[in-house]
């Protein structure tokens, strides 16, 4: 099972940017995507973005396209989420997950996958 550690969250003002990192160790699922989910208090955890381990495919929720960019660094076994033009509604705990099963309709975690501990993103107005 892969171990995932998120970092990069923090408190920012609306319109500012953050870059989240998800470092993977242990078992690597190179045939599957890695990605990000987020969860605000009282809400369901929702999909944010994902990337195939090859980097050839990316997946985004439509509402986040143009603001969020997912990328990877194979040498560091790390996935990044560049978050620009942050809005207060982006406030949530952001979780990394791998491996994901992705299609044109979105991405879902697997029963044998792993979650990171989460990193808090707070955007003030």
């Amino acid at each position: 099972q892969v171990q995932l550690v998120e970092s990069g969250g923090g408190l920012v003002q609306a319109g500012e940017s953050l870059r989240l990192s998800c470092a993977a160790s242990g078992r690597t699922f190179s045939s599957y995507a890695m990605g990000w989910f987020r969860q605000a208090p009282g809400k369901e955890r929702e999909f944010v973005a994902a990337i195939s381990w090859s980097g050839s495919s990316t997946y985004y929720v439509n509402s986040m396209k143009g603001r969020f960019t997912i990328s990877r660094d194979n040498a560091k076994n790390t996935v990044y989420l560049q978050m620009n033009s942050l809005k207060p509604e982006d406030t949530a705990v952001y979780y990394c997950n791998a491996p994901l099963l992705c299609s044109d309709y979105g991405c879902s975690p697997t029963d044998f996958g792993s979650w990171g501990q989460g990193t808090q993103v707070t955007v003030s107005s």
Side-chain angles (χ1 to χ4, degrees), residues 82-118:
Q82 179 67 43
M83 309 166 66
N84 297 327
S85 301
L86 283 164
K87 305 174 182 179
E89 51 263 42
D90 295 320
T91 296
V93 178
Y94 285 71
Y95 297 92
C96 184
N97 184 279
L100 299 174
L101 293 177
C102 295
S103 70
D104 291 341
Y105 298 98
C107 301
S108 300
T110 63
D111 291 339
F112 54 91
S114 298
W115 293 96
Q117 83 288 347

Side-chain angles (χ1 to χ4, degrees), residues 10-113:
L11 174 63
V12 298
Q13 294 183 341
E16 295 182 343
S17 300
L18 284 172
R19 189 177 75 160
L20 307 183
S21 298
C22 174
S25 62
R27 185 176 179 181
T28 300
F29 299 92
S30 60
S31 298
Y32 294 89
M34 297 180 63
W36 295 89
F37 292 72
R38 69 184 185 185
Q39 187 170 25
K43 296 184 178 180
E44 295 291 325
R45 191 170 297 184
E46 64 175 343
F47 172 73
V48 176
I51 186 170
S52 63
W53 197 239
S54 69
S56 61
S57 299
T58 57
Y59 309 86
Y60 299 95
V61 173
N62 285 337
S63 62
M64 300 173 189
K65 289 182 178 179
R67 295 196 300 122
F68 291 6
T69 303
I70 191 168
S71 61
R72 69 172 182 86
D73 185 336
N74 281 343
K76 298 180 179 180
N77 208 22
T78 299
V79 173
Y80 304 96
L81 184 67
Q82 179 67 43
M83 309 166 66
N84 297 327
S85 301
L86 283 164
K87 305 174 182 179
E89 51 263 42
D90 295 320
T91 296
V93 178
Y94 285 71
Y95 297 92
C96 184
N97 184 279
L100 299 174
L101 293 177
C102 295
S103 70
D104 291 341
Y105 298 98
C107 301
S108 300
T110 63
D111 291 339
F112 54 91

